[in-house]
């Protein structure tokens, strides 16, 4: 019988019984895994040559039992055959690029991707002879027209940061499949609770697990999920490049994942409540939240998202300085980058992006834009805090 999501967050991927009768997966703090004798090495090498699954651990850069448990759990939650853990979301993204893109290949990057993903393409992939095109998230004619004979991968993010644009995954998957192109979605903002890209025919799902998956603002990790065919190639790249998560962070991720469903339910509720409150406030010019009918992608969001998420972006009726003053008046949220943890965090994206107003404009970050990444606090308290800050502006 297939288990429901909440049950899987607790039980999927776990070894039972565990070493020492422990209920939690131990942190296997070791760099290597030793063999009893030479015969065991020979047996291991023969099994590896036959490409059988279930290989024992050999060396910490290749696998670790704590990490493997987190990978099995993530594969189950996304409905994929296999998952791979990385020390950061960026490591997951760049190792995936390294696994599939060669000199002369062409990559299509859909607008709105994480700024460091875009930067990796312009600063490194171009240097290594990979061609890169950019297309809007909602223009499938332009996407189809951008495909060349050497197009190897389409990489998109959904929902995007900070405007929370949502992509029509069925259309993306159909276009990619027809041309045998690998489709990749950075699904960090959605989590497997809110969106299932693999079920819509997308090949690979990537997360910054530093956000909702870990969920407590205390770890950095990334994860890639997909078919074994694709993941074996990414595993080879990870083995060689060496970006490997450590067993402590893998443990923290496992711990975080067990409460993923209940955290996301609360964060979805907080997102919608706060978006609705802000939408009706006279000092707010615009709210960007895919759960509001005013959002450009509301219909697509309803089709693909089980919940609209815990991030609400909005534009204040004011300039750069007034927006900063509003943030300073809030008492509950921490001020800073990142999102997805139990603590609410707020930022003025333009302020953290660049001191140069022109650079901010080019990046599409309006000076009066605020990104509020809601935690699991009570929505009444979060709204009361917003009310007092707006009232004293
Ligand atoms: C944070 C983030 C990343 C990068 O992840 P790190 O874990 O910080 O390396 C990539 N994509 C999205 C959408 C993110 O929010």
């Amino acid at each position: 019988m297939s288990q429901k999501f909440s049950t899987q967050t607790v039980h999927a991927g776990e070894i039972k019984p565990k070493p020492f009768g422990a209920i939690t997966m131990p942190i296997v703090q070791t760099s290597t895994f030793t063999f009893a004798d030479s015969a065991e090495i020979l047996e291991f090498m023969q099994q590896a040559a036959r490409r059988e699954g279930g290989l024992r651990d050999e060396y910490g850069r290749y696998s670790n039992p704590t990490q493997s448990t987190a990978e099995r759990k993530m594969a189950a939650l996304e409905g994929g055959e296999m998952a791979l853990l990385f020390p950061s979301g960026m490591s997951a993204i760049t190792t995936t690029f390294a696994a599939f893109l060669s000199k002369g290949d062409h990559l299509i990057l859909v607008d709105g991707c994480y700024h460091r993903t875009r930067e990796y393409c312009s600063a490194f992939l171009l240097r290594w002879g990979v061609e890169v095109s950019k297309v809007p998230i909602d223009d499938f004619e332009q996407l189809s027209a951008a495909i060349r004979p050497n197009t190897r991968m389409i990489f998109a993010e959904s929902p995007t940061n900070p405007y929370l644009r949502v992509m029509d995954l069925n259309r993306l998957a159909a276009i990619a499949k027809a041309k045998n192109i690998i489709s990749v979605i950075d699904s960090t903002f959605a989590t497997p609770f809110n969106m299932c890209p693999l079920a819509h025919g997308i090949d690979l799902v990537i997360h910054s697990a530093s956000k909702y998956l870990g969920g407590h603002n205390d770890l950095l990790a990334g994860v890639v999920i997909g078919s074994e065919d694709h993941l074996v190639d990414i595993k080879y790249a990870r083995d060689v490049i060496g970006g490997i998560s450590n067993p402590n962070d893998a443990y923290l991720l496992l711990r975080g994942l067990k409460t993923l469903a209940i955290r996301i339910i609360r964060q979805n509720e907080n997102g919608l409540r706060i978006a609705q409150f802000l939408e009706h406030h006279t000092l707010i010019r615009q709210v960007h939240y895919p759960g509001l009918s005013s959002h450009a992608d509301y219909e697509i969001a309803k089709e693909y998202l089980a919940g609209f998420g815990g991030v609400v972006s909005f534009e204040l009726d004011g300039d750069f300085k007034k927006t900063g003053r509003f943030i300073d008046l809030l008492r509950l949220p921490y001020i800073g980058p990142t999102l997805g943890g139990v603590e609410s965090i707020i930022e003025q994206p333009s302020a953290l992006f660049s001191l140069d107003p022109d650079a901010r404009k080019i990046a599409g970050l309006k000076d009066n834009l605020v990104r509020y990444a809601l935690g699991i606090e009570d929505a009444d308290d979060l709204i009361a805090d917003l009310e007092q800050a707006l009232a004293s502006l």
Side-chain angles (χ1 to χ4, degrees):
M1 195 183 72
S2 88
Q3 291 172 342
K4 296 261 172 67
F5 192 89
S6 297
T7 310
Q8 287 185 317
T9 61
V10 179
H11 293 288
E14 302 281 342
I15 304 165
K16 288 178 186 175
K18 293 191 182 69
F20 316 114
I23 190 166
T24 54
M25 185 64 199
I27 300 169
V28 183
Q29 188 72 51
T30 186
S31 63
T32 196
F33 302 86
T34 59
F35 294 82
D37 52 27
S38 304
E40 198 180 345
I41 291 189
L42 198 60
E43 195 183 312
F44 170 79
M45 292 303 289
Q46 285 165 346
Q47 197 189 345
R50 291 194 300 269
R51 299 184 181 282
E52 282 170 20
L55 269 187
R56 50 155 281 164
D57 297 294
E58 177 198 354
Y59 180 58
R61 199 178 66 250
Y62 305 143
S63 67
N64 171 288
T66 318
Q67 172 195 294
S68 302
T69 305
E71 290 173 341
R72 285 192 301 269
K73 198 181 286 288
M74 275 312 301
L77 293 178
E78 283 287 359
E81 288 175 2
M82 191 174 160
L84 287 168
L85 197 63
F86 290 85
S88 69
M90 279 317 297
S91 177
I93 291 165
T94 57
T95 307
T96 299
F97 284 151
F100 298 112
L101 298 174
S102 306
K103 183 177 172 186
D105 283 346
H106 175 234
L107 165 75
I108 298 178
L109 196 62
V110 176
D111 276 353
C113 284
Y114 184 63
H115 68 106
R116 292 295 195 188
T117 303
R118 301 197 308 262
E119 214 170 316
Y120 184 78
C121 294
S122 57
F124 295 91
L125 288 183
L126 288 182
R127 226 174 71 200
W128 294 335
V130 175
E131 300 166 17
V132 182
S133 302
K134 290 187 187 152
V135 299
I137 196 166
D138 55 0
D139 189 338
F140 287 89
E141 279 71 44
Q142 214 171 311
L143 175 65
S144 295
I147 292 174
R148 305 172 189 172
N150 59 337
T151 304
R152 181 95 168 102
M153 181 185 283
I154 304 173
F155 188 104
E157 195 171 305
S158 185
T160 64
N161 174 45
Y163 294 109
L164 304 160
R165 298 298 309 269
V166 184
M167 191 160 200
D168 188 332
L169 299 183
N170 288 337
R171 290 184 78 176
L172 168 61
I175 289 170
K177 278 214 185 325
K179 302 269 178 169
N180 205 20
I181 297 167
I182 301 170
S183 54
V184 189
I185 290 287
D186 180 335
S187 190
T188 299
F189 273 54
T191 81
F193 184 88
N194 281 341
M195 191 170 83
C196 308
L198 298 180
H200 293 285
I202 299 298
D203 292 317
L204 295 170
V205 176
I206 297 188
H207 291 277
S208 165
S210 322
K211 316 292 170 55
Y212 289 103
L213 302 183
H216 294 75
N217 294 320
D218 57 3
L219 68 88
L220 291 171
V223 64
V224 183
I225 310 100
S227 71
E228 202 174 319
D229 265 3
H230 285 125
L231 274 272
V232 164
D233 289 345
I234 303 173
K235 168 83 164 68
Y236 174 71
R238 189 183 72 175
D239 287 355
V240 174
I241 294 169
I244 194 81
S245 182
N246 67 69
N248 290 279
D249 279 348
Y251 177 86
L252 287 173
L253 177 58
L254 275 172
R255 183 186 161 105
L257 284 174
K258 289 175 196 171
T259 56
L260 180 66
I262 56 175
R263 283 188 285 106
I264 301 302
I265 289 168
R266 169 59 74 99
Q267 282 167 306
N268 284 340
E269 281 170 13
N270 282 353
L272 194 57
R273 285 273 314 273
I274 274 68
Q276 285 167 344
F277 163 78
L278 290 168
E279 192 178 36
H280 296 114
H281 201 286
T282 49
L283 288 179
I284 305 298
R285 266 190 221 153
Q286 198 179 344
V287 182
H288 303 273
Y289 188 70
L292 297 179
S293 57
S294 56
H295 193 275
D297 303 321
Y298 177 59
E299 293 302 327
I300 295 168
K302 277 195 297 186
E303 186 179 342
Y304 290 99
L305 300 177
F308 302 108
V311 175
V312 180
S313 297
F314 53 96
E315 293 170 39
L316 205 73
D317 190 13
D319 57 7
F320 184 80
K321 222 168 150 186
K322 188 169 179 183
T323 305
R325 197 144 46 81
F326 160 71
I327 285 176
D328 293 343
L329 283 165
L330 289 165
R331 292 167 192 157
L332 271 180
Y334 289 88
I335 301 171
T338 206
L339 57 123
V342 293
E343 295 95 354
S344 288
I345 297 185
I346 201 158
E347 69 160 348
Q348 186 177 6
S350 60
L352 260 175
F353 185 76
S354 173
L355 286 170
D356 176 7
D358 289 336
R360 305 200 289 250
K361 203 170 247 169
I362 290 165
L365 297 174
K366 295 182 185 171
D367 281 348
N368 63 341
L369 185 73
V370 177
R371 184 185 79 179
Y372 202 172
L374 300 156
I376 62 165
E377 300 93 336
D378 194 290
D380 289 342
D381 291 329
L382 292 165
I383 289 171
D385 188 31
L386 286 164
E387 265 172 343
Q388 67 78 22
L390 288 165
S392 34
L393 250 187

